[in-house]
């Protein structure tokens, strides 16, 4: 099965992203993703066996033990690909806590022999695919308010003609930071 490990987004943060996405739809052509698919990928596993899934769960448990909730702060828009056929994303600030969690998840996966895409970690949330980036300025945008993520989830990804659907297979909770 196709799988990935991701930070789940708090509802308020995801709602703010959906509002940003609606603003962008007026200025940018593309296939915008549904709000329920928003997540921040820590490690993409690709095709994984049942044994690989079991090992990935162990890796998530180990990586998340005593880990604190992760601050989420918008860090502008970006794209992968060409301006005429791009993936549009919302950048998330690469805080030390976020970068450490991603590194630890990847180390724990590697220690258990779970293969993952080794591209450098770029914290982002995909907003749209097959986008045409306009040559004009974007309108003023309301970016999400700062929040924190408290769940790391192993997802099964099923690709379909109308986009991917994600099913949570396992979730580890991160500790809330003291106020």
């Amino acid at each position: 099965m196709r799988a990935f490990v991701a930070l789940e987004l708090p509802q308020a943060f995801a709602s703010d992203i959906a509002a940003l996405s609606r603003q962008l739809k007026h200025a940018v052509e593309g296939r915008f993703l549904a709000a329920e698919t928003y997540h921040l990928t820590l490690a993409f596993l690709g095709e994984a066996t049942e044994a690989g899934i079991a090992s990935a769960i162990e890796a998530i448990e180990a990586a998340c033990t005593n880990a604190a909730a992760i601050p989420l702060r918008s860090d502008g828009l970006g794209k992968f690909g060409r301006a005429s056929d791009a993936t549009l994303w919302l950048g998330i600030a690469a805080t030390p806590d976020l970068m450490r969690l991603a590194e630890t998840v990847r180390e724990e996966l590697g220690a258990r022999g779970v293969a993952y895409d080794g591209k450098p970690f770029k914290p982002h949330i995909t907003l749209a695919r097959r986008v045409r980036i306009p040559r004009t300025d974007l309108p003023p945008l309301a970016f999400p308010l700062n929040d924190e993520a408290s769940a790391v989830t192993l997802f099964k990804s099923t690709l379909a003609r109308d986009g991917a659907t994600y099913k949570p297979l396992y979730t580890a909770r991160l500790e809330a930071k003291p106020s």
Side-chain angles (χ1 to χ4, degrees), residues 3 9 19 30 40 48 61 65 74 81 98 106 135 162 168:
L9 305 178
L40 196 159
E61 268 297 313
T65 299
S74 300
L98 174 56
R106 290 167 174 230
R135 293 184 179 179
D162 57 345

Side-chain angles (χ1 to χ4, degrees), residues 76-90:
L77 298 173
K79 71 170 181 67
F80 297 127
R82 301 181 317 270
S84 61
D85 183 20
T87 296
L88 178 65
W89 47 261
L90 171 66

Side-chain angles (χ1 to χ4, degrees), residues 28-105:
V28 177
E29 292 179 41
R31 185 173 57 83
F32 282 79
L33 279 63
E36 60 269 12
T37 66
Y38 296 155
H39 62 273
L40 196 159
T41 302
L42 299 171
F44 179 73
L45 308 183
E47 291 298 323
T49 64
E50 289 297 324
I53 293 297
S55 294
I57 289 170
E58 290 174 9
I60 292 167
E61 268 297 313
C64 294
T65 299
N66 299 321
I70 301 297
L72 298 173
R73 293 193 314 265
S74 300
D75 195 23
L77 298 173
K79 71 170 181 67
F80 297 127
R82 301 181 317 270
S84 61
D85 183 20
T87 296
L88 178 65
W89 47 261
L90 171 66
I92 300 299
T95 62
D97 288 344
L98 174 56
M99 300 308 284
R100 188 171 29 263
L101 178 64
E103 181 181 348
T104 303
V105 165

Side-chain angles (χ1 to χ4, degrees), residues 13-174:
F13 197 76
S15 293
D16 285 353
I17 295 170
L20 171 65
S21 195
R22 285 190 298 276
Q23 290 177 305
L24 286 165
K25 280 184 185 181
H26 296 293
V28 177
E29 292 179 41
R31 185 173 57 83
F32 282 79
L33 279 63
E36 60 269 12
T37 66
Y38 296 155
H39 62 273
L40 196 159
T41 302
L42 299 171
F44 179 73
L45 308 183
E47 291 298 323
T49 64
E50 289 297 324
I53 293 297
S55 294
I57 289 170
E58 290 174 9
I60 292 167
E61 268 297 313
C64 294
T65 299
N66 299 321
I70 301 297
L72 298 173
R73 293 193 314 265
S74 300
D75 195 23
L77 298 173
K79 71 170 181 67
F80 297 127
R82 301 181 317 270
S84 61
D85 183 20
T87 296
L88 178 65
W89 47 261
L90 171 66
I92 300 299
T95 62
D97 288 344
L98 174 56
M99 300 308 284
R100 188 171 29 263
L101 178 64
E103 181 181 348
T104 303
V105 165
R106 290 167 174 230
E107 286 173 355
E108 293 292 346
L109 289 167
R112 288 163 177 78
V114 179
Y116 62 90
D117 184 339
K119 288 182 190 140
F121 176 60
K122 172 80 174 158
H124 70 279
I125 297 160
T126 301
L127 302 176
R129 300 188 189 286
R130 313 245 1 148
V131 169
R132 289 185 173 177
I133 306 295
R135 293 184 179 179
T136 59
D137 289 340
L138 293 173
L141 300 169
F143 285 87
L145 298 175
N146 293 348
D147 209 331
E148 64 179 33
S150 59
V152 174
T153 299
L154 175 63
F155 286 97
K156 174 184 176 183
S157 173
T158 303
L159 300 178
R161 175 172 246 120
D162 57 345
T165 57
Y166 307 131
K167 176 184 176 188
L169 300 176
Y170 176 79
T171 299
R173 297 282 166 204
L174 302 172

